[in-house]
Amino acid sequence: MVSPTAVYVLLLLAAPLAAVVAFSFWTQDFLTIDRTLTLNNYREAFTDPIYRTLMGRSLMISGVVTVVTVVLAFPIAYFVSFYVDPSRKALWIFLITIPFWTSYLLRVFLWKVILGFNGVFNSGLLSLGIIDEPITFILYNANAVVITLAHAFAPFTILPIYVALEKIDRSLLEASRDLGENRMTTFFRVTLPLAMPGVIAATLIVFIPTIGDYVTPRLVGGPDGLMIANMIQTQFLKLNNAPMGATLAVLAMCAVTAISLIFVFFNRKYLR
Amino acid sequence: MRGGWLRIYAITYLVFLYLPVILLPLFAFNDGTVMAFPLKGFTTQWFVQLAGIEALHGALLNSVFIASVTAALSVLLGICAARASTRFRFPFKAPIMGAIMVPLVLPEIIVAVSLLVVVVQVLDLPLSAWTVIAGHTLICTPFAIAILSSAFQGLDQSFEEAAIDLGETRWGAFKNIILPLVSPGIVASFLICFTISLDEFIIAFFLTGAEPTLPVYIWGQLRFPTKIPAVMALGTLMLVASLIILSVAEYYRRRGVARVGGKDSGGFL
Amino acid sequence: MSIISLQGIEKFYGDYHALKGIDCEIAEGEFFSLLGPSGCGKTTLLRVIAGFEDVSGGVVLLGGKNMAGVPANKRPTNMVFQSYAIFPHLSVAQNVGYGLRRAKLPKAELDALVDDALEMVGLSGFGGRAAHALSGGQRQRVALARALILKPKVLLLDEPLSALDKKMREQMQTELRRLQRQVGITFILVTHDQEEALIMSDRIAVMFEGEIAQVAPPQELYRRPVTRRVGEFIGVMNFLDARHIDDNSDTVRFDIEGIGEAQISHAQLPSGARAFAPVVGLRPEALSVIYDAPTTPAQRVVEGEVVDLSYYGDMTYYEVLIDGTTTPMTISMKNLAARPVLERGARARVTWDEGSLVVFAA
């Protein structure tokens, strides 16, 4: 039964991924591909400061986005799971997910409108007299990318944490209180450890895809907010250098996988 | 009031979530081309304008076609995988299911470039709606599996055995008992896949041929300030359409839950 | 003539040996129970008969026909599932008529059959109800009607009463028994509840770890368990260390812990046993606390201390430590006006019925 799906994935994912890896070891001169295996692309990727900066920045932004999103989302998930009346939980979850059925492109674009020089945010603060002149550090830089991505991935973090919190047997918390812990210590000794699988899932769900995000850095990032995906796109579609693009894609994947594995490993180790 | 500070935080957070969404209709009905406050007055001219853009209609039709085929394929593949994973044990089950779910977390740009490499450089095929469908099916199938798995999992295995015991063949039991019972999940996953495909940009951007999809068309428009208000109007219509589709999907999911006699435990995903 | 003949049934799940050579004959029209603790293989055996599990070895004969390779939907058996498996998207009537759909009967005839089946289980007029609106007991009845309408040779029931509350369970026990007599179909019931098996069955197979330990009618099973384990599983039994002294023509002499020497008649011994286990069993009702002097001079009495008691209203269960022994014995006494309930720590005089001593084969 599983075979059609497995075959589909194999053909459309595994084979293409293999092709990308193969490409990363080739070179391209204008339109002809040179199929001799070489590490030149990797050498270039590691030595050219452009690639290093972009890769470093991408990992940095993804990391910050992940932390911000998860930290902001946890209290919401906690609130919905523990303080909202059970009959209204579905409504809250629905409310949280609705904004994400707006076109992704338009959402990002609207953040540009909100954060811009005479955008919603600045004009609002100006008219309230909180600032005298528009603040500029929130558009066309990494901050804007972080804010926008933190917004874009909100439901993907809230939902797994919420599900993990919902699974916690409430009598465990009462047991902890009964055994002499207060609200705070119960949270840290019982609730949080039991919610950890959800937190880990949320972290990975945000961290891995954000590194490959193209639209957000392009629209709100400015020159200092560009990420590796923008360079991959440039290599493939503008510079006609598919092998270099493939190399960057492979490196990005490896970096993300490595960091995710380390993260999961440390969680396993320190949560036992 | 329960949850005092948390409740205030939650409401603030909701405002943050809704901030861009609220602006969409505001600017769609705003009588001015500059995206800034104060608003200039009410107009419906941008919606009227939409009706006259040929390229938009082409993109919309293209997107709807891609989304329909993608959803149908994803649901079919999803049914196979979800049923296999919930009902049977087979060798290498965990790695196979893991591989199928990978596109859920893989950066979309990776999916896009790898398919591009294969289609253009290896197979030397032209890019078309079908290449987009291939990519979209890849990322939609895990969502379909997630929804369908919970539908199949909620199903008592003895329903199928009871049907066979009463004289049905395996296929008859699947057709007459299992499919009707998971049909709400099928409808829900179809609608979700449809919506995801309709909204997907990166893969379409890389893999689309001469005919752009709706998001690719929008992307092209975002560079021209004068075109923006019409795009806002378009976005508003799309949001309304998504919400209708989503409500229908939610309705079917709940009906499914009620049908197998379970308790409702929150929304999708 | 036996309707079902199980011959050397083996079942492996990977390395796990679930059924270890089951041999069993089940007669036509019999109410037969498979009784055992969870994991003993009783449900697996039932599913083997139904055709849901393939056997790793052995033969299932159903009405004299080898069932090898016959799928579940072609076997003359029907099943009542533990969860009842009432199709939630169909009405009660559609559920009951489900198996007749292939028979392509005229609608009026089908309706009549469904009505009859519903009436038989006491659900007349429920046909139009939605399946998910039924109570547990009603689901059970629908499941019965749905299976019986097909007139199977054998009806298989997988723990059908375990999901019901105590009152409903007791009611359904009587009703199932009545129904079985009425339709005359062979019923095979899987249960872990020994009381349920005793109440309902014509014969009971007790299973442990994939093997049948004993097949017997309820009374024989209770009075003459063949092993200590069966005796322990069915009801309550006291076990006393015992030493076989010698045999003579009509009795065997044992030296039993706490109560001394006993003469046990040959009829009481396990048939065919060459040696005896160093332990004998005695049910709580075979022991009694005596309040007056012994009624007959032959009646022997030992003394002990009441170390614990459980008061049930109609009965009191005493734990009495007989002088010179280390394990208390359970003694059940009917509560009568002339028998004041003894207190913990009280001295008790105890007598027993020698004819009720249970000897096990070694």
Side-chain angles (χ1 to χ4, degrees):
Chain A
M1 281 295 288
V2 78
S3 47
T5 317
V7 167
Y8 186 85
V9 170
L10 203 69
L11 281 182
L12 277 100
L13 186 67
L17 285 179
V20 167
V21 173
F23 259 76
S24 70
F25 292 103
W26 297 340
T27 47
Q28 185 166 7
D29 184 18
F30 189 54
L31 282 179
T32 47
I33 301 263
D34 179 359
R35 303 205 168 178
T36 31
L37 295 182
T38 165
L39 284 171
N40 279 346
N41 292 323
Y42 286 94
R43 204 167 294 131
E44 198 183 330
F46 279 109
T47 47
D48 192 325
I50 286 194
Y51 300 134
R52 272 168 49 192
T53 316
L54 275 179
M55 187 65 83
R57 187 193 291 151
S58 299
L59 290 172
M60 185 69 189
I61 289 181
S62 289
V64 174
V65 167
T66 308
V67 172
V68 168
T69 314
V70 172
V71 167
L72 287 181
F74 193 92
I76 299 296
Y78 186 79
F79 171 75
V80 177
S81 181
F82 282 79
Y83 289 98
V84 171
D85 188 78
S87 62
R88 302 183 61 187
K89 282 179 177 176
L91 177 70
W92 269 87
I93 294 296
F94 201 51
L95 275 179
I96 287 167
T97 42
I98 283 178
F100 300 91
W101 298 100
T102 329
S103 159
Y104 176 57
L105 286 179
L106 292 183
R107 258 184 291 142
V108 177
F109 179 78
L110 286 162
W111 273 108
K112 182 171 153 178
V113 172
I114 294 168
L115 300 172
F117 186 74
N118 42 19
V120 176
F121 193 65
N122 272 325
S123 49
L125 290 181
L126 277 173
S127 64
L128 286 174
I130 296 173
I131 50 174
D132 298 328
E133 55 185 75
I135 44 176
T136 54
F137 63 85
I138 49 170
L139 186 62
Y140 296 131
N141 57 28
N143 294 337
V145 176
V146 171
I147 294 174
T148 308
L149 286 176
H151 179 265
F153 281 91
F156 298 108
T157 41
I158 295 175
L159 290 175
I161 299 175
Y162 168 75
V163 169
L165 288 171
E166 278 293 278
K167 278 190 192 152
I168 297 175
D169 184 348
R170 297 306 192 253
S171 61
L172 293 176
L173 309 183
E174 287 172 358
S176 167
R177 298 290 294 279
D178 185 58
L179 295 169
E181 298 288 355
N182 63 30
R183 227 174 247 280
M184 188 71 99
T185 49
T186 295
F187 177 82
F188 283 107
R189 290 189 64 186
V190 181
T191 314
L192 193 56
L194 288 175
M196 237 20 220
V199 174
I200 291 170
T203 306
L204 296 180
I205 285 174
V206 181
F207 182 71
I208 300 174
T210 45
I211 198 130
D213 195 76
Y214 170 80
V215 175
T216 304
R218 185 69 205 284
L219 280 182
V220 303
D224 295 335
L226 284 182
M227 290 166 66
I228 197 72
N230 304 89
M231 182 51 84
I232 296 176
Q233 187 263 350
T234 308
Q235 295 287 352
F236 268 97
L237 300 187
K238 297 255 171 69
L239 299 179
N240 267 326
N241 191 353
M244 193 64 217
T247 307
L248 294 176
V250 170
L251 285 177
M253 259 193 304
C254 292
V256 171
T257 314
I259 294 176
S260 305
L261 288 179
I262 292 170
F263 175 73
V264 171
F265 173 77
F266 273 98
N267 262 300
R268 286 246 168 100
K269 198 164 172 192
Y270 290 109
L271 277 177
R272 289 289 149 93
Chain B
M1 175 122 65
R2 292 199 304 155
W5 285 105
L6 263 179
R7 183 174 290 265
I8 293 167
Y9 174 78
I11 290 165
T12 318
Y13 194 86
L14 276 188
V15 171
F16 165 68
L17 289 185
Y18 276 83
L19 202 53
V21 184
I22 291 164
L23 293 180
L24 194 59
L26 279 187
F27 287 122
F29 289 106
N30 182 31
D31 192 6
T33 52
V34 184
M35 299 286 105
F37 284 102
L39 298 173
K40 292 278 176 5
F42 182 83
T43 179
T44 52
Q45 60 159 315
W46 310 121
F47 289 90
V48 177
Q49 213 179 69
L50 288 179
I53 309 172
E54 292 287 325
L56 167 67
H57 300 164
L60 178 64
L61 284 180
N62 196 26
S63 267
V64 168
F65 170 71
I66 290 174
S68 310
V69 179
T70 298
L73 276 176
S74 307
V75 169
L76 264 180
L77 294 171
I79 289 175
C80 293
R83 180 166 158 78
S85 75
T86 49
R87 178 74 171 77
F88 302 111
R89 267 179 285 179
F90 46 89
F92 306 111
K93 178 172 176 174
I96 289 176
M97 290 312 295
I100 291 173
M101 300 306 270
V102 156
L104 204 58
V105 287
L106 206 63
E108 282 181 8
I109 191 148
I110 306 277
V111 176
V113 297
S114 34
L115 283 170
L116 182 72
V117 161
V118 168
V119 171
V120 175
Q121 314 266 17
V122 180
L123 300 175
D124 199 19
L125 293 171
L127 292 172
S128 67
W130 291 101
T131 47
V132 180
I133 287 171
H136 280 184
T137 305
L138 201 57
I139 56 162
C140 285
T141 304
F143 284 95
I145 292 175
I147 296 170
L148 288 166
S149 289
S150 65
F152 277 107
Q153 230 147 37
L155 215 57
D156 187 344
Q157 191 186 311
S158 32
F159 285 142
E160 192 183 351
E161 289 184 348
I164 290 173
D165 188 61
L166 296 170
E168 289 278 20
T169 56
R170 238 168 216 295
W171 167 242
F174 183 71
K175 193 179 59 150
N176 296 324
I177 298 300
I178 306 295
L179 274 188
L181 286 176
V182 296
S183 67
I186 292 175
V187 174
S189 57
F190 183 92
L191 293 177
I192 294 281
C193 292
F194 185 88
T195 318
I196 291 173
S197 167
L198 204 62
D199 188 39
E200 202 288 328
F201 168 68
I202 276 289
I203 291 175
F205 185 47
F206 273 76
L207 297 177
T208 197
E211 292 270 301
T213 66
L214 199 56
V216 174
Y217 170 80
I218 293 176
W219 178 253
Q221 302 297 296
L222 287 179
R223 276 178 294 162
F224 310 109
T226 51
K227 302 270 177 77
I228 304 273
V231 170
M232 292 293 133
L234 177 61
T236 308
L237 291 180
M238 283 164 62
L239 175 60
V240 172
S242 299
L243 287 185
I244 291 172
I245 292 178
L246 215 67
S247 309
V248 173
E250 172 72 8
Y251 168 78
Y252 272 99
R253 193 194 61 83
R254 290 198 179 183
R255 220 174 75 169
V257 171
R259 193 176 265 193
V260 294
K263 283 220 178 79
D264 197 355
S265 57
F268 283 103
L269 299 165
Chain C
M1 174 210 150
S2 57
I3 184 95
I4 288 187
S5 170
L6 305 173
Q7 299 169 2
I9 303 293
E10 299 276 346
K11 177 73 190 173
F12 285 92
Y13 292 106
D15 287 340
Y16 179 64
H17 201 171
L19 295 176
K20 302 170 185 165
I22 301 286
D23 292 301
C24 188
E25 301 284 323
I26 298 168
E28 191 156 4
E30 192 173 23
F31 198 126
F32 191 86
S33 292
L34 297 169
L35 172 66
S38 56
C40 71
K42 56 191 191 299
T43 296
T44 307
L45 187 58
L46 193 77
R47 292 170 57 83
V48 161
I49 297 171
F52 292 125
E53 305 280 352
D54 297 327
V55 291
S56 316
V59 180
V60 179
L61 296 182
L62 227 154
K65 267 192 241 133
N66 190 340
M67 286 291 120
V70 180
N73 50 341
K74 300 267 189 278
R75 293 195 183 190
T77 58
N78 284 112
M79 183 127 151
V80 173
F81 290 82
Q82 186 168 15
S83 61
Y84 311 142
I86 302 300
F87 304 130
H89 59 307
L90 303 178
S91 71
V92 167
Q94 282 170 323
N95 261 288
V96 173
Y98 191 91
L100 287 176
R101 217 174 41 100
R102 328 203 114 228
K104 301 235 181 337
L105 301 172
K107 191 171 181 320
E109 200 176 323
L110 177 70
D111 289 350
L113 284 171
V114 168
D115 286 346
D116 288 350
L118 282 174
E119 193 189 331
M120 183 171 64
V121 296
L123 283 181
S124 296
F126 278 69
R129 297 245 184 140
H132 57 78
L134 298 175
S135 72
Q138 288 167 340
R139 276 161 196 263
Q140 152 102 85
R141 288 160 197 260
V142 173
L144 274 168
R146 184 175 73 177
L148 287 173
I149 199 171
L150 297 175
K151 306 208 162 41
K153 287 206 173 112
V154 179
L155 183 73
L156 308 169
L157 303 111
D158 184 10
E159 304 251 7
L161 306 177
S162 61
L164 304 178
D165 61 42
K166 191 163 183 281
K167 272 257 155 58
M168 182 58 93
R169 191 158 61 226
E170 283 166 1
Q171 190 187 332
M172 283 310 296
Q173 283 168 357
T174 342
E175 206 164 315
L176 265 179
R177 191 70 246 237
R178 175 190 63 77
L179 206 59
Q180 194 265 337
R181 285 200 197 103
Q182 184 187 328
V183 296
I185 291 172
T186 309
F187 277 31
I188 303 181
L189 172 82
V190 159
T191 181
H192 64 270
D193 181 343
Q194 43 99 11
E195 218 170 80
E196 186 171 299
L198 291 177
I199 292 171
M200 297 167 74
S201 323
D202 294 320
R203 279 195 310 150
I204 299 168
V206 181
M207 291 182 68
F208 298 115
E209 278 130 33
E211 287 174 302
I212 292 183
Q214 185 173 8
V215 184
Q219 292 195 24
E220 185 185 332
L221 195 65
Y222 187 81
R223 291 214 305 246
R224 295 272 160 263
V226 291
T227 64
R228 175 174 175 155
R229 195 155 179 206
V230 174
E232 243 169 346
F233 192 72
I234 310 283
V236 181
M237 189 172 254
N238 296 300
F239 295 98
L240 310 165
D241 290 341
R243 195 170 55 82
H244 175 209
I245 305 171
D246 56 20
D247 300 0
N248 51 46
S249 55
D250 19 272
T251 58
V252 179
R253 280 199 309 152
F254 279 89
D255 179 24
I256 298 171
E257 172 200 15
I259 61 176
E261 206 178 288
Q263 307 268 347
I264 296 177
S265 74
H266 279 292
Q268 246 167 291
L269 298 175
S271 55
R274 297 209 182 85
F276 306 111
V279 68
V280 295
L282 201 51
R283 297 279 184 195
E285 64 273 15
L287 288 148
S288 32
V289 172
I290 51 172
Y291 291 81
D292 313 311
T295 43
T296 58
Q299 195 171 16
R300 291 156 58 194
V301 174
V302 291
E303 289 207 10
E305 184 189 329
V306 176
V307 292
D308 206 351
L309 68 147
S310 310
Y311 177 75
Y312 281 84
D314 57 338
M315 307 279 285
T316 302
Y317 280 78
Y318 294 101
E319 296 292 319
V320 178
L321 189 63
I322 304 295
D323 296 343
T325 66
T326 50
T327 323
M329 283 204 277
T330 307
I331 302 172
S332 66
M333 292 296 291
K334 242 190 205 127
N335 291 328
L336 300 174
R339 294 177 181 170
V341 175
L342 299 177
E343 307 218 336
R344 197 172 288 121
R347 295 293 296 171
R349 295 195 300 152
V350 173
T351 185
W352 63 93
D353 173 32
E354 213 163 77
S356 298
L357 278 167
V358 180
V359 179
F360 305 105

